[in-house]
Amino acid sequence: MSTMKAAVYLRPGKIAIEEKPIPVPGPGEALIKITTTTICGTDVHILKGEYPVKPGLTIGHEPVGVIAALGAGVSGYEIGQRVIVGAISPCGQCYSCLDGQHSQCGGKPAGGWRFGNTIDGCQAEYLLVPYAMSNLEEIPDGLTDEQVLMCPDIMSTGFGGAENGDIKIGDTVVIFAQGPIGLCATAGAKLRGASLIIAVDSVASRLEMARALGADVTIDYTTTDPLTEIMRLTHGRGVDVAIEALGTQVTFESCLRALKPGGRLSSLGVYSGKLSLPLDAFAAGLGDHKIITTLCPGGKERMRRLMNVVKSGRVKLDAMVTHRFRLDDIEQAYDLFANQRDGVLKVAITC
């Protein structure tokens, strides 16, 4: 039996490279030879035991690769074609998918998130893709792996935060946290037509990148009180849209306090433990605030559209790749990324 290398979750605090059988695609499935993938903040939650998965599961949900084999019934694709697959892999046929809620496929919360959650993921030499006809999308000619590496998850998620926040032309927007997803939300706010984009973080290099992606004002929260500055910039009105991109009580509450009455809070964070609403900032429920959460939109059409944005040159996200590792060295990559050393934003893992 042929085997492959895979990054496997063993227990809290431990992910290691192990040998696993190379999957054989069944009807409706495809096998992808992974060329490049990356590590997500959610993978770090898994590593720390903050998000439970079964021991022995291959981790990872951001695949770029080449079609190695096709199962029966999968048409319109060829062996050797370069493709990406979204972090969310909807079936395209259930009630939730037909209702437009692809991320909640199967009618379960986060049901569309399969890779590295309920089935083996892509931090491996090969990936078995279910519902291939709904999820494989060819990479346009001329785009490198690193140029499309953000599309499966963080670009789709960050843009989704801007879209679900219903940013309108001329809106004022604040994004709390400028990690990879926050940076993509900043870029998404620019594309949506926001006229004043405020980015909040404490890392100078991230704030610099936020400016490159469309932020008009950057705030280092260690030297400037963000809420005081936001109210000054908006003449005491508050922002139209606040995007939370970290998943903490502090950033969520700051977003709520930055909003105008009737403003929209778009939440992208993955929260651990309890999340509370301060009654004053929530106006005791009488402020006409809208709070919406977003799980990364997936599926082949979403991937096609995101890669079109990249190909058009309207946004360039490959500069987020600050470090590169081979799959064999993924434990070192996790250590770097989880501890946020050496200015890391995203790591590229090649097989």
Side-chain angles (χ1 to χ4, degrees):
M1 181 182 294
S2 298
T3 61
M4 65 177 185
K5 296 175 183 177
V8 173
Y9 171 77
L10 300 178
R11 60 183 181 277
K14 185 62 175 176
I15 287 174
I17 294 292
E18 291 191 352
E19 291 287 328
K20 281 191 168 185
I22 297 175
V24 177
E29 299 176 337
L31 183 68
I32 305 301
K33 173 69 175 76
I34 298 297
T35 53
T36 308
T37 186
T38 184
I39 298 172
C40 177
T42 307
D43 298 326
V44 175
H45 284 295
I46 291 171
L47 171 65
K48 293 179 177 179
E50 296 169 349
Y51 185 91
V53 299
K54 293 180 180 179
L57 189 75
T58 301
I59 305 305
H61 51 260
E62 298 164 273
V64 181
V66 176
I67 296 175
L70 297 169
V74 180
S75 60
Y77 300 95
E78 298 177 356
I79 306 299
Q81 220 170 7
R82 294 179 64 227
V83 294
I84 65 170
V85 182
I88 301 300
S89 52
C91 72
Q93 301 172 23
C94 69
Y95 169 79
S96 294
C97 286
L98 295 174
D99 193 39
Q101 301 297 326
H102 300 96
S103 299
Q104 313 307 322
C105 181
K108 300 176 181 178
W113 174 28
R114 294 181 167 88
F115 300 130
N117 182 22
T118 58
I119 65 174
D120 279 340
C122 64
Q123 289 172 12
E125 293 181 290
Y126 289 90
L127 173 71
L128 185 66
V129 180
Y131 313 112
M133 296 286 287
S134 295
N135 291 291
L136 294 179
E137 183 57 31
E138 183 178 12
I139 299 171
D141 291 340
L143 294 183
T144 67
D145 280 15
E146 290 189 4
Q147 283 178 293
V148 301
L149 183 58
M150 309 306 157
C151 295
D153 187 355
I154 68 163
M155 183 182 181
S156 189
T157 301
F159 278 27
E163 291 163 317
N164 282 345
D166 193 25
I167 294 172
K168 297 178 175 65
I169 292 172
D171 270 353
T172 297
V173 180
V174 64
I175 302 98
F176 276 86
Q178 292 295 300
I181 285 177
L183 287 167
C184 289
T186 297
K190 182 72 172 180
L191 289 173
R192 294 277 296 187
S195 59
L196 176 62
I197 301 172
I198 305 164
V200 182
D201 205 285
S202 64
V203 180
S205 60
R206 295 187 176 196
L207 292 173
E208 182 181 354
M209 186 168 289
R211 281 192 174 273
L213 290 172
D216 301 290
V217 177
T218 56
I219 299 174
D220 180 345
Y221 66 80
T222 64
T223 60
T224 302
D225 177 61
L227 295 174
T228 300
E229 183 64 6
I230 288 165
M231 289 304 167
R232 186 189 72 80
L233 290 167
T234 61
H235 308 287
R237 176 171 174 257
V239 297
D240 299 292
V241 180
I243 300 177
E244 197 291 318
L246 186 60
T248 69
Q249 176 68 40
V250 171
T251 48
F252 183 89
E253 186 171 328
S254 294
C255 280
L256 192 58
R257 293 186 182 281
L259 282 180
K260 70 176 187 181
R264 303 176 296 281
L265 194 165
S266 181
S267 172
L268 296 174
V270 178
Y271 302 94
S272 301
K274 291 184 178 180
L275 184 65
S276 61
L277 290 174
L279 292 182
D280 60 332
F282 193 49
L286 304 176
D288 283 332
H289 298 113
K290 297 176 178 65
I291 300 175
I292 188 166
T293 63
T294 297
L295 174 60
C296 173
K300 63 183 294 183
E301 175 60 12
R302 177 69 170 184
M303 296 301 106
R304 183 188 71 83
R305 289 175 177 270
L306 294 178
M307 288 192 288
N308 278 352
V309 175
V310 173
K311 188 174 182 179
S312 74
R314 284 177 171 80
V315 66
K316 296 181 180 180
L317 301 176
D318 48 312
M320 287 191 195
V321 177
T322 55
H323 297 74
R324 294 164 181 84
F325 294 85
R326 297 289 297 174
L327 180 62
D328 285 336
D329 301 318
I330 198 167
E331 290 181 73
Q332 297 175 33
Y334 264 98
D335 182 63
L336 174 75
F337 186 73
N339 292 289
Q340 291 292 292
R341 294 196 308 270
D342 194 28
V344 64
L345 268 176
K346 290 290 278 185
V347 299
I349 309 294
T350 53
C351 299

